[in-house]
């Protein structure tokens, strides 16, 4: 099963790089559902100085059970420094 997650991880990173033309930074989640796979990928939207002001996009990439790409969309954009941890503490 671990190999399947690795495969989806790699496919999601390649999708963002090749179709969205953004630099993928990391996969922050992979789930397997009844209709296929979903991965969340962080990608660099815009570089800034200082780099804590870089804009990071969160993309949702979906694949069929056969691991064929079925879609992708940007879900969120945030500054690199905005981790969301403050909201989780409240």
């Amino acid at each position: 099963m671990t190999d399947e997650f690795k495969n989806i991880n790699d496919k999601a990173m390649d999708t963002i790089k090749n179709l969205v033309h953004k630099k993928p930074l990391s996969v922050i989640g992979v789930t397997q559902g009844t209709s296929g796979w979903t991965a969340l990928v962080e990608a660099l939207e815009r570089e800034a100085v200082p780099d804590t002001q870089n804009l990071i996009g969160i993309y949702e990439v979906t694949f069929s059970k056969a691991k064929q790409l079925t879609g992708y969309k940007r879900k969120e954009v945030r500054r690199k420094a905005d981790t969301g941890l403050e909201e989780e503490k409240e």
Side-chain angles (χ1 to χ4, degrees):
M1 186 73 140
T2 304
D3 288 341
E4 288 182 287
F5 279 90
K6 171 92 171 92
N7 184 262
I8 292 299
N9 185 77
D10 294 345
K11 285 178 171 282
M13 295 282 277
D14 287 344
T15 298
I16 298 305
K17 180 180 178 184
N18 297 319
L19 293 180
V20 184
H21 304 293
K22 303 288 182 187
K23 179 183 177 184
L25 301 173
S26 63
V27 173
I28 58 173
V30 174
T31 55
Q32 182 180 21
T34 56
S35 61
W37 296 84
T38 301
L40 292 175
V41 180
E42 289 185 319
L44 182 62
E45 294 287 327
R46 181 179 57 87
E47 288 190 84
V49 176
D51 71 347
T52 55
Q53 296 301 306
N54 285 356
L55 291 181
I56 308 295
I58 310 280
Y59 287 82
E60 179 181 85
V61 186
T62 55
F63 299 93
S64 67
K65 287 182 181 181
K67 299 181 188 78
Q68 297 299 311
L69 178 66
T70 57
Y72 64 91
K73 63 183 169 183
R74 187 172 67 189
K75 302 285 284 182
E76 179 183 341
V77 176
R78 65 173 178 81
R79 284 191 169 76
K80 182 179 179 182
D82 298 338
T83 61
L85 295 177
E86 290 77 27
E87 292 91 22
E88 292 175 13
K89 291 179 185 176
E90 296 180 46

